[in-house]
Amino acid sequence: MCLSDASTGSQRGDMGEGIPLHLIGFKCVCRSFKQDVSSNARAMMKLMNGADMAKHSLSTLGSANCFVDSLHDGRDFDCNISRARFELLCSSLFNKSVQPIRSLLETTGLSTSDINKVVLCGGSARIPRLQQMIKDLFADVELLSSAPPDEVIAVGAAMEAGLLVGREIGSSPESVIVEACVSDILLKEVDETGAEVFSVLLPSGTPLPARRHHILSGPGRLASLCLELYQKTTEQPERLAKIVLRDLETKEDNHDIDAVVTMKRDGSLHVSCVEQNSGKTEAISISAAS
């Protein structure tokens, strides 16, 4: 028995839009943009992307940051949203997701006691509140969530195709799964002419865990230097984090910054920067988006 509802997905469904609608109101009141950007398609798309990343983070964290670079009139947007707030915003969508299950059970004449396993699939299956509601509905049923929800349907279709052509499941050697970086991780620098350039630290497909060293140079006359990490999933890179080394001693020659970027198997990033002359250090950790 399979049940799906595309309207609750994160790409174009209502659940992906709940956070941006909240953020628009929050922005207008608290950040004084003085203008409703809902009619600006480009700004809305950037806001949707930032909110979607925040939603993914809320699957594992109690709160998440939503940062949108140059959202409107060259001004950045930055705010935090808690998991409790997100669950409140999407409570009607969670109920909408669970209601068809009850309807299907009623139509087929089955009860929850007749179901022995439930497989979660789709990106929204990672949402803790939605998982809990399904657990409450199927109190004595095993909830299977070990397989990546985004891959469940594809794997099931491949297994069914194998059965249709007469291939027994498990007859071929078990595949070895290697975790890999899903997108390019970039470092933004400024060259001698003042132009911004991006260096690829971790190309897409890099086996994890991975560790990279990179030496940056900055003018010695500056008392602070900034390092920015980006993720390239589309043509326009999205900023992941910014690290600022402050209170550096000015000097005639350049500052040399040793940057170390480490990505774990779960996709989380740890970045540390050390100014080689003074030993000034800054570090930041970035949790993986689910």
Side-chain angles (χ1 to χ4, degrees), residues 53 180-189 197-214 227-234 236-243 259-264 266-272 284 286-289:
M53 293 181 65
C181 184
V182 297
S183 58
D184 293 340
I185 303 299
L186 314 173
L187 178 67
K188 187 172 78 171
E189 301 179 78
V197 294
F198 288 93
S199 301
V200 180
L201 293 183
L202 293 170
S204 175
T206 300
L208 300 179
R211 184 183 179 92
R212 296 291 186 271
H213 288 261
H214 191 79
L227 177 147
E228 291 182 300
L229 276 182
Y230 285 76
Q231 173 180 259
K232 187 176 182 181
T233 55
T234 60
Q236 184 66 30
E238 298 177 0
R239 189 167 72 177
L240 288 176
K242 178 171 69 173
I243 302 178
V260 180
V261 178
T262 304
M263 178 174 279
K264 299 181 180 179
D266 62 1
S268 60
L269 276 170
H270 180 78
V271 186
S272 63
I284 188 173
I286 307 168
S287 300

Side-chain angles (χ1 to χ4, degrees), residues 123-182:
S124 295
R126 294 188 177 94
I127 299 175
R129 177 57 181 162
L130 191 56
Q131 290 183 4
Q132 187 59 50
M133 292 179 69
I134 296 175
K135 287 180 181 179
D136 293 341
L137 182 61
F138 297 95
D140 301 321
V141 173
E142 182 181 2
L143 198 65
L144 303 179
S145 58
S146 58
D150 295 324
E151 302 173 8
V152 168
I153 294 178
V155 171
M159 294 173 65
E160 180 66 17
L163 292 174
L164 291 175
V165 298
R167 181 176 298 174
E168 295 184 6
I169 298 176
S171 60
S172 59
E174 185 175 352
S175 300
V176 177
I177 299 176
V178 179
E179 301 291 345
C181 184
V182 297

Side-chain angles (χ1 to χ4, degrees), residues 210-279:
R211 184 183 179 92
R212 296 291 186 271
H213 288 261
H214 191 79
I215 302 296
L216 298 90
S217 294
R221 67 179 184 277
L222 300 179
S224 64
L225 291 174
C226 174
L227 177 147
E228 291 182 300
L229 276 182
Y230 285 76
Q231 173 180 259
K232 187 176 182 181
T233 55
T234 60
E235 289 298 324
Q236 184 66 30
E238 298 177 0
R239 189 167 72 177
L240 288 176
K242 178 171 69 173
I243 302 178
V244 180
L245 284 168
R246 296 183 174 87
D247 301 325
L248 300 177
E249 296 181 3
T250 57
K251 55 182 182 177
E252 294 184 359
D253 54 346
N254 288 339
H255 292 295
D256 290 324
I257 309 297
D258 185 11
V260 180
V261 178
T262 304
M263 178 174 279
K264 299 181 180 179
R265 284 191 175 91
D266 62 1
S268 60
L269 276 170
H270 180 78
V271 186
S272 63
C273 299
V274 180
E275 205 281 322
Q276 295 180 350
N277 183 51
S278 64

Side-chain angles (χ1 to χ4, degrees), residues 65-76:
N65 178 261
C66 179
F67 176 84
V68 182
D69 185 39
S70 187
L71 176 64
H72 184 66
D73 288 341
R75 298 175 62 184
D76 299 341

